[in-house]
Amino acid sequence: MADVITTKASAKGVSMAPRKVSLIAHLVRGRSVADALTILEHTPKRAARPVAKVIASAKANAINTHGFDGNTLVIESIQVTAGPRLKRFRAAAMGRALPYQKKTSHISVVVAGSLKPKKAAVKKETAATKPKKETK
């Protein structure tokens, strides 16, 4: 069996609360990448889109940069952590201001899979090995 190797992708500063994004991340944890993207495509939550983008990015990294086989990719880990909070104030009655925080998230995905099998090198004929044609 081929060795299992990992690659990763992340999105930082996603403007959604980490608690909401974690619910979506839990749906796809441990699944194959193809299954995860299908599930997220049919999930009616706003947080499904950035999670799907990060998984698709990890898949593209694995295939294009590292030469993985796209059919063997599995989500090894997916983490959602809290990003920086933007502190804001909302106008209230009697000239007051009520504070609130806009929460952000960091999403990181680690994808595992096996490398594509290497193709055998094709020996090219050089000018020295080619038989010469006779001319009249």
Side-chain angles (χ1 to χ4, degrees):
M1 185 171 155
D3 293 331
V4 176
I5 307 170
T6 62
T7 186
K8 61 186 175 180
S10 64
K12 296 192 172 204
V14 176
S15 59
M16 285 181 215
R19 185 173 178 176
K20 294 177 181 179
V21 180
S22 293
L23 291 172
I24 302 302
H26 183 70
L27 289 175
V28 296
R29 189 171 282 125
R31 295 185 184 265
S32 71
V33 171
D35 287 347
L37 291 174
T38 303
I39 289 168
L40 292 173
E41 187 178 316
H42 295 92
T43 301
K45 293 275 192 181
R46 185 171 156 243
R49 184 170 178 152
V51 173
K53 282 177 103 172
V54 176
I55 292 171
S57 177
K59 178 182 176 181
N61 289 345
I63 293 171
N64 298 327
T65 306
H66 302 292
F68 283 43
D69 184 10
N71 298 327
T72 63
L73 295 176
V74 175
I75 297 174
E76 190 171 274
S77 74
I78 182 167
Q79 290 183 325
V80 179
T81 56
R85 295 179 177 204
L86 305 174
K87 296 180 181 176
R88 300 287 183 259
F89 292 95
R90 185 178 320 255
M94 294 184 285
R96 292 177 300 150
L98 300 178
Y100 67 97
Q101 295 179 349
K102 291 188 172 182
K103 298 175 177 90
T104 62
S105 305
H106 299 321
I107 306 167
S108 62
V109 176
V110 177
V111 172
S114 59
L115 295 173
K116 284 184 183 174
K118 302 267 183 184
K119 293 183 180 178
V122 177
K123 187 175 179 181
K124 293 184 179 180
E125 292 184 17
T126 61
T129 60
K130 281 187 179 177
K132 293 189 178 184
K133 294 181 181 178
E134 289 185 23
T135 58
K136 291 185 181 180

